[in-house]
């Protein structure tokens, strides 16, 4: 079957088997390797992307279910040559080690900050609770998200001043 997905603002059309998972469409058909595939059971969260603006684990969504819809991947966070504050936060606060879980963490953190620009530590931990990181104790990940929230608040204040 033919599937067209608006992937980070660009239509991607490919012939796929009806059983193809969205994560495989993104990686194998569209050639975007930022979305990682970790478990196929929705346990790890490395494959989180946005489907019509909402975070989903792309290993549990069929590509056919995304036909005609908007999908944003970690590659879509950077805009106009500028890293998203969440990406900057992960760099500044060492929010990654091996980097495998990072794309899913970034997408989840961005979604959190979009709906709650000033989350508390418990709110951050709850938001990323569906993401497994086998390398860290989550401390630097939480710091990275707080850094991004504070950066965005500072930038917003500068704009209104």
């Amino acid at each position: 079957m033919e599937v067209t997905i608006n992937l980070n603002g660009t239509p991607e059309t490919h012939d796929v088997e009806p059983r193809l998972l969205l994560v495989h469409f993104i990686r194998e058909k569209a050639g975007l390797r930022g979305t990682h595939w970790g478990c196929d059971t929705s346990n790890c969260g490395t494959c989180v992307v946005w489907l019509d603006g909402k975070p989903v684990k792309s290993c549990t969504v069929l590509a056919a279910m995304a036909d005609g819809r908007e999908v944003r991947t970690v590659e879509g966070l950077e805009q106009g040559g500028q890293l998203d504050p969440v990406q900057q936060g992960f760099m500044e606060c060492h929010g990654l080690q091996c980097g495998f879980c990072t794309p899913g963490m970034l997408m989840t953190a961005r979604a959190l900050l979009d709906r709650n620009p000033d989350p508390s530590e418990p709110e951050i931990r709850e938001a990323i609770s569906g993401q497994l990181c086998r390398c860290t104790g989550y401390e630097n990940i939480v710091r990275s998200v707080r850094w991004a929230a504070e950066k965005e608040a500072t930038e917003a204040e500068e704009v209104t001043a």
Side-chain angles (χ1 to χ4, degrees):
M1 68 182 300
E2 187 175 90
V3 171
T4 300
I5 297 173
N6 190 348
L7 195 53
N8 297 323
T10 303
E12 283 280 337
T13 302
H14 298 281
D15 286 320
V16 301
E17 292 186 31
R19 64 184 175 156
L20 184 75
L21 295 172
L22 180 57
V23 67
H24 297 304
F25 181 95
I26 293 166
R27 291 181 59 81
E28 297 161 15
K29 299 294 185 178
L32 297 177
R33 303 291 187 187
T35 302
H36 292 165
W37 173 47
C39 68
D40 257 349
T41 60
S42 80
N43 288 321
C44 73
T46 64
C47 67
V48 169
V49 299
W50 293 2
L51 180 61
D52 294 334
K54 296 192 186 267
V56 298
K57 293 178 179 177
S58 61
C59 72
T60 61
V61 176
L62 296 173
M65 295 166 67
D67 188 29
R69 298 172 75 184
E70 303 278 333
V71 173
R72 187 174 183 196
T73 68
V74 69
E75 289 92 347
L77 287 179
E78 175 268 332
Q79 296 291 313
Q82 294 291 319
L83 292 179
D84 185 273
V86 173
Q87 292 171 306
Q88 292 175 329
F90 270 66
M91 287 176 31
E92 293 292 328
C93 300
H94 311 288
L96 59 98
Q97 284 188 16
C98 81
F100 194 75
C101 71
T102 305
M105 289 283 188
L106 291 171
M107 297 305 291
T108 300
R110 177 74 268 152
L112 168 65
L113 294 180
D114 285 352
R115 72 175 185 277
N116 179 359
D118 188 26
S120 65
E121 181 177 327
E123 290 169 325
I124 295 169
R125 288 184 180 279
E126 181 179 338
I128 64 171
S129 65
Q131 315 293 123
L132 293 181
C133 177
R134 293 180 172 98
C135 299
T136 71
Y138 297 91
E139 292 299 319
N140 287 348
I141 292 169
V142 172
R143 274 191 213 108
S144 299
V145 177
R146 281 297 319 146
W147 187 95
E150 290 166 9
K151 178 175 178 50
E152 289 178 346
T154 300
E155 289 175 353
E157 286 175 12
E158 290 172 358
V159 168
T160 58

